[in-house]
Amino acid sequence: MTEDARDEVDRLVAAWRTERPDLDVEPLQVLSRVSRLAKHLDRARRAAFAEHDLEPWEFDVLTALRRAGKPYELSPGALLRATLVTSGTMTNRIDRLAQAGHVRRRPDPEDRRGVLVSLTETGLARVDAAFSDLLRREHDLLSGLGPTDQRALASLLRTLLAPFDSP
């Protein structure tokens, strides 16, 4: 490996190997890079959302509705499951998104006690623009890898994450 190809993790691993030769520091080769990449992704996400006047939590709720397909509508319970927050948190988020004009509530015709939350035209336009911007930034983050390497990396990461995502 040339000095140009070395990154901060290589330097970190080398230092730990010198200081703690008794430890196997190989996990740092992968997980420190994943952690560092996650920080860059978080910055890219926050920048994309801020450019469209959205907070990360707003984007999460709006994209859950958008992924539901027309009429871009879910129950609050389905939104809870999609965004992994508590019911109190979701109620607050729906209230704030409704006040901003991004979502509306309507009675659930199949459950008189329930409501459905749907995207407004404003919410749909906002989430679509933010998502397009996010994807552009994510493509930039991955620009150092060709399509074959991206698919291989995705497959390896899927293998690592699958046990955490199972019920």
Side-chain angles (χ1 to χ4, degrees):
M1 172 182 336
T2 66
E3 185 61 34
D4 291 344
R6 291 174 56 86
D7 65 3
E8 185 60 29
V9 174
D10 290 320
R11 290 183 277 282
L12 179 137
V13 168
W16 278 120
R17 283 186 176 140
T18 299
E19 294 301 315
R20 292 296 308 266
D22 57 310
L23 294 177
D24 176 9
V25 295
E26 276 306 300
L28 296 175
Q29 295 279 8
V30 173
L31 299 177
S32 289
R33 286 184 174 93
V34 168
S35 177
R36 293 174 68 80
L37 183 59
K39 289 175 186 172
H40 291 289
L41 176 59
D42 185 57
R43 284 188 203 119
R45 290 173 57 88
R46 289 180 182 280
F49 305 154
E51 195 166 302
H52 299 279
D53 295 319
L54 292 174
E55 293 292 328
W57 66 264
E58 291 172 306
F59 182 82
D60 289 345
V61 174
L62 296 176
T63 55
L65 290 166
R66 181 64 167 98
R67 288 190 312 269
K70 284 187 177 183
Y72 312 120
E73 185 171 76
L74 292 170
S75 69
L79 283 169
L80 290 178
R81 290 185 294 280
T83 59
L84 304 175
V85 298
T86 66
S87 61
T89 298
M90 183 52 65
T91 298
N92 180 279
R93 290 179 176 186
I94 293 168
D95 289 346
R96 291 173 64 185
L97 287 166
Q99 287 172 347
H102 299 316
V103 302
R104 73 172 69 80
R105 287 185 177 97
R106 72 174 184 91
D108 184 341
E110 296 178 21
D111 178 359
R112 289 189 300 181
R113 295 170 296 156
V115 298
L116 294 171
V117 180
S118 59
L119 284 175
T120 62
E121 287 184 29
T122 301
L124 178 62
R126 180 79 46 98
V127 73
D128 278 353
F131 187 56
S132 293
D133 190 25
L134 174 61
L135 286 175
R136 180 187 54 77
R137 292 168 191 264
E138 289 183 353
H139 279 287
D140 289 346
L141 282 173
L142 293 170
S143 64
L145 297 176
T148 301
D149 287 340
Q150 287 183 33
R151 285 190 297 275
L153 179 58
S155 179
L156 291 167
L157 291 171
R158 183 180 304 109
T159 300
L160 275 176
L161 286 172
F164 297 102
D165 289 342
S166 62

